[in-house]
Amino acid sequence: MLVRAITAPGLRRWCRGRRGAAVACFPLGRALLGVRGAEAAVFLQGLLTNDVTQLVGAGDAPPALYAHALNVQGRCLYDVILYRLHGSTAEEPHILLECDSSVLDSIQKHLKLYKIRRKVTITPCPDLSLWAVIPGEQPGDASALPKLADQALLLTPDPRAEVMGWRLIAKKGANLSEIIPGSQVGDVQDYHRHRYQQGIPEGVKDLPPGVALPLESNLAFMNGISFTKGCYIGQELTARTHHMGVIRKRLLPVRFPEPLPGPGVPEGAEILTESGKPAGKFRAGRGELGIALLRLAHVNEPLCIKLGGDRVKLSTATPEWWPKAAAK
């Protein structure tokens, strides 16, 4: 099995700046599809927002890319992370595609619809497991990450944002303590809470298919789109919005007071200003943390949501990992 360790100086600096906990590995319920063949990258290039040809380029080819697959109206269908598995340009291109497991069948149908006569094979990878690795706070944790056992296939920085740590792909049933010495298996709910705290969307609840718009979903902030790659499905509206430079709503992390009344916040619940004006919609969350699509004109105002006849206040803040110009 191919083992590849990727270093990231920025992530190392982030780890060194923290103190006190072990590396946490979170088992993810996301699915993996293998896309393999001479035309794998060219095939995906016409379906995804990012420049997939980077994965098969010579020299400093990135090991992973984030992207969305859009419908013809320019709305998100699937959020994916692509991983390069072939070691050099001399090998047949082999790309792993990570997606929400609930849409595995539909994304396979979507890919095969456009495959036509391309020299590409598309197969699920049930023998592999996917992990999120959040580096710990003990000195030396980051330097331990690249020391992999032969049970690991790929370890790479999460391409969306430095605060999301690393992605690990391993054989099903692999021993994580052998792959990353001193690591601990964490509760996946803590991983999702970390995502929501950072305002990182993932999966169909955060990015409803046929509803979410890529630039409102901060795709450009998460390195998930190329504005120079050429045509792909859904490009027209996305490119027009980018060139106009007007984005009135964005996904933002939100926090509610504890404990929340009732069973929690329903998905799609309307968020209001103190005067009752519509300010956005709640997408999804865990406990007191969540993510919401908010009108930027109202994010500095007091906000609330109606729960069980009560008005519950909520707060939001611009994530620190956003580009500085976007935070203003």
Side-chain angles (χ1 to χ4, degrees), residues 74-157:
R75 295 181 182 271
C76 178
L77 288 176
Y78 316 106
D79 64 305
V80 302
I81 298 179
L82 305 175
Y83 303 95
R84 169 185 169 132
L85 290 191
H86 54 283
S88 71
T89 53
E91 295 179 48
E92 180 181 63
H94 187 188
I95 297 169
L96 273 187
L97 183 150
E98 169 196 330
C99 65
D100 189 312
S101 57
S102 69
V103 298
L104 178 60
D105 289 342
S106 61
I107 199 170
Q108 285 185 85
K109 290 176 184 176
H110 179 74
L111 294 176
K112 289 175 181 177
L113 177 66
Y114 292 97
K115 179 176 174 286
I116 313 176
R117 294 184 180 87
R118 296 277 189 192
K119 296 178 181 178
V120 174
T121 58
I122 303 163
T123 52
C125 302
D127 57 325
L128 299 179
S129 59
L130 176 70
W131 298 77
V133 180
I134 306 297
E137 301 165 6
Q138 294 284 2
D141 279 346
S143 63
L145 287 179
K147 297 176 183 176
L148 305 183
D150 62 1
Q151 300 176 77
L153 184 67
L154 183 76
L155 176 66
T156 178

Side-chain angles (χ1 to χ4, degrees), residues 196 205-206 208 251-256 260 263-272 279-294 304-307 314-315:
Y196 287 130
K205 289 189 176 181
D206 300 345
L251 283 181
L252 283 160
V254 294
R255 181 184 291 270
F256 296 92
L260 279 170
V265 184
E267 295 166 14
E270 190 168 39
I271 297 172
L272 306 169
K281 289 192 175 180
F282 180 75
R283 283 278 173 82
R286 291 287 191 284
E288 81 283 7
L289 299 173
I291 197 167
L293 184 67
L294 295 173
C304 65
I305 199 165
K306 290 183 178 179
L307 288 179
L314 63 112
S315 59

Side-chain angles (χ1 to χ4, degrees), residues 21-33:
V23 173
C25 300
F26 300 98
L28 302 181
R30 306 263 288 174
L32 291 168
L33 275 176

Side-chain angles (χ1 to χ4, degrees), residues 14-302:
W14 178 61
C15 295
R16 284 199 296 264
R18 306 174 69 208
R19 297 288 183 269
V23 173
C25 300
F26 300 98
L28 302 181
R30 306 263 288 174
L32 291 168
L33 275 176
V35 183
R36 192 169 195 158
E39 298 180 294
V42 177
F43 165 60
L44 293 172
Q45 181 80 338
L47 300 177
L48 300 175
T49 56
N50 216 333
D51 185 359
V52 185
T53 60
Q54 295 178 76
L55 289 177
V56 294
D60 257 351
L65 286 176
Y66 179 57
H68 285 185
L70 309 180
N71 63 16
V72 292
Q73 289 80 33
R75 295 181 182 271
C76 178
L77 288 176
Y78 316 106
D79 64 305
V80 302
I81 298 179
L82 305 175
Y83 303 95
R84 169 185 169 132
L85 290 191
H86 54 283
S88 71
T89 53
E91 295 179 48
E92 180 181 63
H94 187 188
I95 297 169
L96 273 187
L97 183 150
E98 169 196 330
C99 65
D100 189 312
S101 57
S102 69
V103 298
L104 178 60
D105 289 342
S106 61
I107 199 170
Q108 285 185 85
K109 290 176 184 176
H110 179 74
L111 294 176
K112 289 175 181 177
L113 177 66
Y114 292 97
K115 179 176 174 286
I116 313 176
R117 294 184 180 87
R118 296 277 189 192
K119 296 178 181 178
V120 174
T121 58
I122 303 163
T123 52
C125 302
D127 57 325
L128 299 179
S129 59
L130 176 70
W131 298 77
V133 180
I134 306 297
E137 301 165 6
Q138 294 284 2
D141 279 346
S143 63
L145 287 179
K147 297 176 183 176
L148 305 183
D150 62 1
Q151 300 176 77
L153 184 67
L154 183 76
L155 176 66
T156 178
D158 191 308
R160 298 171 295 183
E162 193 174 280
V163 293
M164 291 306 297
W166 298 57
R167 271 324 208 232
L168 168 66
I169 298 172
K171 298 176 183 178
K172 188 75 78 175
N175 187 334
L176 268 291
S177 63
E178 291 181 9
I179 297 175
I180 304 177
S183 63
Q184 297 177 354
V185 176
D187 185 336
V188 71
Q189 299 305 322
D190 291 333
Y191 164 76
H192 291 303
R193 286 174 57 81
H194 174 70
R195 278 200 307 106
Y196 287 130
Q197 192 170 25
Q198 300 297 336
I200 301 282
E202 185 177 286
V204 296
K205 289 189 176 181
D206 300 345
L207 300 164
V211 175
L213 287 166
L215 298 186
E216 289 183 350
S217 304
N218 305 322
L219 186 63
F221 294 172
M222 294 186 289
N223 313 303
I225 188 166
S226 168
F227 294 109
T228 60
K229 62 171 277 186
C231 295
Y232 56 90
I233 294 173
Q235 179 209 19
E236 187 177 351
L237 176 63
T238 307
R240 189 187 316 133
T241 303
H242 169 67
H243 291 302
M244 288 176 63
V246 179
I247 300 172
R248 294 185 172 87
K249 294 182 283 186
R250 284 194 181 275
L251 283 181
L252 283 160
V254 294
R255 181 184 291 270
F256 296 92
E258 296 183 83
L260 279 170
V265 184
E267 295 166 14
E270 190 168 39
I271 297 172
L272 306 169
T273 65
E274 208 168 37
S275 61
K277 292 181 182 178
K281 289 192 175 180
F282 180 75
R283 283 278 173 82
R286 291 287 191 284
E288 81 283 7
L289 299 173
I291 197 167
L293 184 67
L294 295 173
R295 296 180 186 275
L296 297 178
H298 297 308
V299 295
N300 294 321
E301 300 178 32

